[in-house]
Amino acid sequence: MAPLVNIGFWGDVTSSMDWCEENYEWSPFIAEFFNSWSSLAMILLGEACARMNPTNNRAFTLLGRSITVVGIGSYLFHATLRYSMQMLDELPMLWAVAIACYISITTQYMVNERAVKWGLSLWTLMVSLFTAGFSGKTQFVLFQASFNILTYVMAFLCWRGKRDLENAQMRHVAKLFSSGIKWYLMAAIVWLTDTNLCTYINGQDKSILPFNLQLHAWWHVMASLGLVYLVVLMMGHYCLVKDIPFKLRYICGVFPYIYSH
């Protein structure tokens, strides 16, 4: 991680992670300038997902708004590098992916929706308490393990949704899966590079580059794009299962937009 050279408005770092961006380089009030402002991508895309919802299922609106909360928490976390703000970033991530799991499970399987809701809620609450109750490397590992387990479950559920859409001859909608996964894989590569090779890419003494690539900021943007593709895929699959007519289009050739007709 980059060394803490400047002490800004928020004082010493108390979060379990201090990312590769140099602290307070651009503003005395924002610890990680690029990591903070790139979080706006999650806020904007979360609101877009909440507002485009053609399903009339309030769970999708809640999912979109939970992504917005993640973006707000991410901004505050990177702006302050305080542990309390880190929890405002990480805990909503757990709840957002739990909401996505609830939607996909109850859409794809004949299950007791109430039981699934309570089961996921209790599990996420337990994980949230464990995540918030530890600090340092232990906290980081606990959060990453818990979040990634649910993420892999969601990847499988999205794949099943893609398969159903292909069987229904809706390949243009099913393609959202591969597009979303590609964005996520690129995001994962830049996250891992930024996290593990910071010393060599931060533009400082041992760096092989003359400047910092700000890869964690790019992670925010790429992960947000991957997320919106998969959320729109989930909406399309829900509409297929519930026999809701819909159309899919792309804004500027990149941003998928689904609407009823």
Side-chain angles (χ1 to χ4, degrees):
M1 293 299 105
L4 181 59
V5 177
N6 301 316
I7 301 296
F9 178 81
W10 301 103
D12 293 335
V13 173
T14 61
S15 60
S16 64
M17 283 296 293
D18 184 3
W19 303 95
C20 195
E21 183 177 355
E22 186 174 353
N23 299 331
Y24 298 106
E25 184 178 15
W26 295 89
S27 168
F29 302 105
I30 301 178
E32 295 177 343
F33 187 85
F34 291 101
N35 289 348
S36 296
W37 287 108
S38 60
S39 300
L40 290 178
M42 283 179 275
I43 297 173
L44 294 174
L45 292 176
E47 282 303 295
C49 289
R51 292 175 182 273
M52 79 168 74
N53 180 10
T55 67
N56 293 320
N57 184 343
R58 290 183 295 178
F60 278 108
T61 302
L62 181 61
L63 175 60
R65 291 279 147 70
S66 68
I67 297 169
T68 299
V69 172
V70 171
I72 295 171
S74 177
Y75 182 96
L76 295 173
F77 168 35
H78 290 292
T80 65
L81 291 179
R82 307 295 295 178
Y83 182 76
S84 57
M85 297 299 106
Q86 182 181 357
M87 292 301 98
L88 286 180
D89 174 28
E90 294 181 350
L91 297 186
M93 290 173 66
L94 291 171
W95 286 95
V97 72
I99 293 169
C101 284
Y102 166 78
I103 294 172
S104 292
I105 290 171
T106 55
T107 301
Q108 297 183 26
Y109 298 97
M110 298 294 293
V111 293
N112 186 312
E113 294 188 11
R114 184 180 179 87
V116 173
K117 182 188 298 183
W118 278 103
L120 281 170
S121 297
L122 291 173
W123 190 88
T124 308
L125 178 61
M126 181 185 68
V127 171
S128 298
L129 292 174
F130 273 104
T131 300
F134 289 88
S135 60
K137 188 174 181 180
T138 302
Q139 187 279 332
F140 179 76
V141 172
L142 271 174
F143 167 73
Q144 292 296 330
S146 304
F147 179 72
N148 286 326
I149 288 172
L150 282 181
T151 299
Y152 293 140
V153 170
M154 270 312 305
F156 170 72
L157 293 171
C158 284
W159 173 80
R160 291 187 85 251
K162 179 210 69 146
R163 185 186 61 183
D164 290 345
L165 288 161
E166 287 176 337
N167 291 337
Q169 304 303 314
M170 294 184 176
R171 296 186 181 276
H172 65 296
V173 184
K175 284 173 58 179
L176 290 166
F177 177 79
S178 59
S179 298
I181 293 298
K182 286 175 185 176
W183 279 112
Y184 254 115
L185 287 176
M186 289 190 291
I189 290 170
V190 300
W191 188 91
L192 289 169
T193 303
D194 183 80
T195 303
N196 297 293
L197 300 176
C198 177
T199 302
Y200 307 104
I201 59 170
N202 62 6
Q204 297 181 17
D205 296 340
K206 296 182 180 180
S207 176
I208 62 176
L209 301 174
F211 55 87
N212 192 326
L213 294 175
Q214 308 298 347
L215 292 184
H216 194 80
W218 284 108
W219 144 259
H220 287 160
V221 176
M222 293 179 183
S224 297
L225 277 172
L227 187 61
V228 74
Y229 275 86
L230 296 179
V231 171
V232 173
L233 173 80
M234 289 170 58
M235 290 181 181
H237 183 251
Y238 183 91
C239 288
L240 171 66
V241 172
K242 302 299 182 180
D243 199 25
I244 301 172
F246 69 95
K247 288 187 177 180
L248 173 69
R249 58 179 294 190
Y250 289 85
I251 299 175
C252 298
V254 176
F255 186 87
Y257 184 84
I258 188 172
Y259 58 98
S260 57
H261 72 93

